[in-house]
Amino acid sequence: MTPPTASTWSRRGNTPLLRVRARSQRRISIAALACYKHGERSRLIYRPIVHPDHRAGGRRSSAWNDYRDLLISAHQQLGRPLVLIWDNLNVHRDRRLRAFIDAQDWITVHYLPPYAPQLNPVEGIWSLLRRRCQANTAFTDPAHLMLTLRQGLRQIQYRPALVDGCLAGTGLRKGSP
C-alpha cells in the first residue's frame, strides 16, 4: 500500500506533499473463478481474504483450504460439476487440495502449460480490476483497499460481457454443450 515515487503534473516549483502512513504488513489475497458454459451467461465467483501480519508467522497468500472452500461454494452456486483449467500455482498442486479434488466426482482438473498466463482468463480480470478501481487511488487503510476491491469485483461480476471479454482475450472460446 506504500505508493511509488513518481513525477506529477503540478506546476514547476509547487511540489505536492502527500502524507504516507507507515507500511502495512497486512496482505490481501483474492481467489477467483471465471465460469463459462455455452449458452449461459458467464459468471465470476471470488473470495477475498485479509491475512494478518505475516511477520507474526501468518501466511502471505491463500492456503489450499481457501481454494477448497471456493470450489465448494462454486459448486453450490452453479449446481453442476466443475471442469477447472488451472495455472501451475503451487497451491493448485498442493497434495491436500489434490486429495480433496480426487475424492470428489464433480471436479475435473486440467492444467495450463507452464508460463502461459496469456491463456488464463482470470489474468484479464486482475487487469480490469487494476485499471478500473485501483487506478489513481491512494488507499487510506486496508479496509479502504478491501472495500474498493469488493466494489470493483462486484462491478465486473454484474457485467458478464466483461468476463466474456477476458476469455476472448486469451484466444479461447466457449465449447459446445
Side-chain angles (χ1 to χ4, degrees):
M1 289 182 22
T2 304
T5 304
S7 60
T8 65
W9 290 98
S10 67
R11 293 181 154 202
R12 184 173 297 189
N14 295 334
T15 305
L17 298 176
L18 298 173
R19 289 192 183 270
V20 177
R21 297 179 182 168
R23 283 183 180 232
S24 171
Q25 294 301 323
R26 293 186 199 109
R27 303 276 176 152
I28 296 176
S29 298
I30 304 171
L33 295 173
C35 306
Y36 302 99
K37 182 166 184 194
H38 184 72
E40 293 188 18
R41 73 179 183 90
S42 301
R43 308 267 307 260
L44 176 66
I45 300 172
Y46 62 91
R47 294 288 177 273
I49 302 162
V50 177
H51 303 284
D53 186 359
H54 69 275
R55 291 186 186 200
R59 285 190 60 89
R60 292 182 179 201
S61 61
S62 299
W64 73 273
N65 51 359
D66 298 324
Y67 286 95
R68 178 198 62 201
D69 297 342
L70 177 65
L71 293 175
I72 291 170
S73 173
H75 178 61
Q76 290 173 349
Q77 286 183 30
L78 299 172
R80 295 190 175 96
L82 302 177
V83 177
L84 298 174
I85 301 175
W86 265 352
D87 56 7
N88 289 293
L89 185 66
N90 60 353
V91 179
H92 294 167
R93 293 194 175 266
D94 187 280
R95 62 178 170 76
R96 295 165 291 187
L97 184 59
R98 189 76 234 171
F100 168 75
I101 289 172
D102 291 341
Q104 310 304 319
D105 61 345
W106 47 268
I107 302 177
T108 305
V109 177
H110 301 282
Y111 290 97
L112 289 170
Y115 305 107
Q118 68 274 14
L119 296 176
N120 190 349
V122 177
E123 295 295 332
I125 301 288
W126 303 142
S127 177
L128 282 172
L129 193 61
R130 282 189 299 271
R131 287 181 298 164
R132 296 180 107 212
C133 73
Q134 289 182 309
N136 300 322
T137 305
F139 299 103
T140 56
D141 58 1
H144 179 216
L145 173 61
M146 182 59 99
L147 176 68
T148 306
L149 289 174
R150 284 184 184 269
Q151 288 174 343
L153 285 167
R154 199 171 305 120
Q155 288 174 357
I156 295 170
Q157 191 176 34
Y158 291 148
R159 291 172 177 83
L162 289 177
V163 182
D164 282 339
C166 292
L167 181 67
T170 65
L172 304 174
R173 59 187 169 84
K174 292 181 189 180
S176 58

